[in-house]
Amino acid sequence: EPEVTQTPSHQVTQMGQEVILRCVPISNHLYFYWYRQILGQKVEFLVSFYNNEISEKSEIFDDQFSVERPDGSNFTLKIRSTKLEDSAMYFCASSSNRRAGSKETQYFGPGTRLLVL
Amino acid sequence: GQNIDQPTEMTATEGAIVQINCTYQTSGFNGLFWYQQHAGEAPTFLSYNVLDGLEEKGRFSSFLSRSKGYSYLLLKELQMKDSASYLCAVRGSARQLTFGSGTQLTVLP
């Protein structure tokens, strides 16, 4: 069964450093998402991406964040200068259906646990 | 804005039935999803409702009332492996999901 994959599974970085989190969405999917989950808190939406551009972003997704689809398979989230409060599990998700309101299930990857020291 | 409420914790016994409720207030509505999340793992899709009524899928059923802003997830014949967090999520006018805080279900032998 196709699945979303993410690398690395764990990342430890120093405050102020740049990190890039990588995702390979399900191959025929058109919509891509990043969510994060701070330990013990709810899953929060960061950004959605379609047709090589951002379609929606939340207040969390400030200028420190960027997303890119550098080739036909990868979807990346970059945090330019990490802060302590960026420590969280970052989930990539993808979905396929063009038509909003249909059963467009988002499938989540296993996540990258980011720890900023 | 979006607001989704669900109980923080529930406990049930193996073999029993448990109902996890979710109430929501959202701007726009394009479906309600239930996900299961084991500790340290990704959310996995369980069910989807966009019309009022009950959707059944094996041991799991989900109900939606749009007029009441209410859904529940029903788990039957509970097994130990069902111990997990159950996340209610709503898709509003945009495609992204807004999640509740999750209900941590503990299944006791």
Side-chain angles (χ1 to χ4, degrees):
Chain A
E1 185 175 322
E3 57 185 21
V4 178
T5 59
Q6 290 185 241
T7 54
S9 58
H10 294 78
Q11 174 96 46
V12 181
T13 191
Q14 296 288 327
M15 191 170 58
Q17 295 296 303
E18 175 183 286
V19 294
I20 298 176
L21 311 183
R22 291 183 168 78
C23 168
V24 179
I26 294 172
S27 63
N28 63 345
H29 281 187
L30 303 173
Y31 295 89
F32 314 121
Y33 310 83
W34 284 101
Y35 292 83
R36 78 170 186 194
Q37 187 175 31
I38 295 170
L39 188 63
Q41 298 187 22
K42 66 174 72 173
V43 177
E44 300 174 290
F45 167 73
L46 293 178
V47 66
S48 59
F49 192 86
Y50 169 71
N51 200 25
N52 286 318
E53 60 183 26
I54 290 173
S55 45
E56 298 284 341
K57 60 182 180 179
S58 71
E59 301 163 346
I60 303 167
F61 194 87
D62 61 22
D63 292 343
Q64 293 298 316
F65 292 88
S66 62
V67 288
E68 195 177 32
R69 188 156 162 83
D71 53 42
S73 59
N74 288 287
F75 177 51
T76 62
L77 174 70
K78 182 192 291 187
I79 310 175
R80 278 185 246 291
S81 178
T82 50
K83 304 188 285 282
L84 296 177
E85 54 265 38
D86 294 328
S87 294
M89 183 76 104
Y90 288 81
F91 293 110
C92 174
S94 68
S95 64
S96 65
N97 204 300
R98 290 181 183 276
R99 195 165 50 88
S102 65
K103 182 185 175 180
E104 182 195 313
T105 301
Q106 292 182 26
Y107 295 92
F108 284 74
T112 294
R113 186 172 295 284
L114 176 66
L115 178 61
V116 182
L117 301 176
Chain B
Q2 320 273 56
N3 190 44
I4 298 173
D5 289 310
Q6 49 182 133
T8 306
E9 296 177 325
M10 297 185 74
T11 303
T13 305
E14 197 174 12
I17 298 172
V18 71
Q19 178 175 311
I20 302 174
N21 295 325
C22 171
T23 57
Y24 63 91
Q25 298 96 39
T26 60
S27 51
F29 180 81
N30 277 302
L32 186 143
F33 295 78
W34 284 95
Y35 283 82
Q36 181 192 62
Q37 187 180 31
H38 285 99
E41 297 184 10
T44 54
F45 169 74
L46 290 178
S47 71
Y48 168 78
N49 296 72
V50 69
L51 300 176
D52 290 352
L54 189 68
E55 294 282 339
E56 296 187 79
K57 201 174 176 184
R59 294 191 299 116
F60 295 77
S61 304
S62 57
F63 172 83
L64 175 68
S65 168
R66 289 172 297 170
S67 62
K68 294 180 180 176
Y70 167 69
S71 173
Y72 67 72
L73 179 70
L74 194 71
L75 293 79
K76 302 175 191 172
E77 301 168 18
L78 281 173
Q79 303 173 8
M80 299 297 290
K81 67 178 183 180
D82 296 330
S83 292
S85 185
Y86 290 85
L87 313 181
C88 175
V90 173
R91 188 168 68 208
S93 50
R95 289 182 183 273
Q96 65 265 25
L97 298 177
T98 299
F99 282 86
S101 298
T103 298
Q104 183 63 46
L105 174 66
T106 302
V107 180
L108 302 174

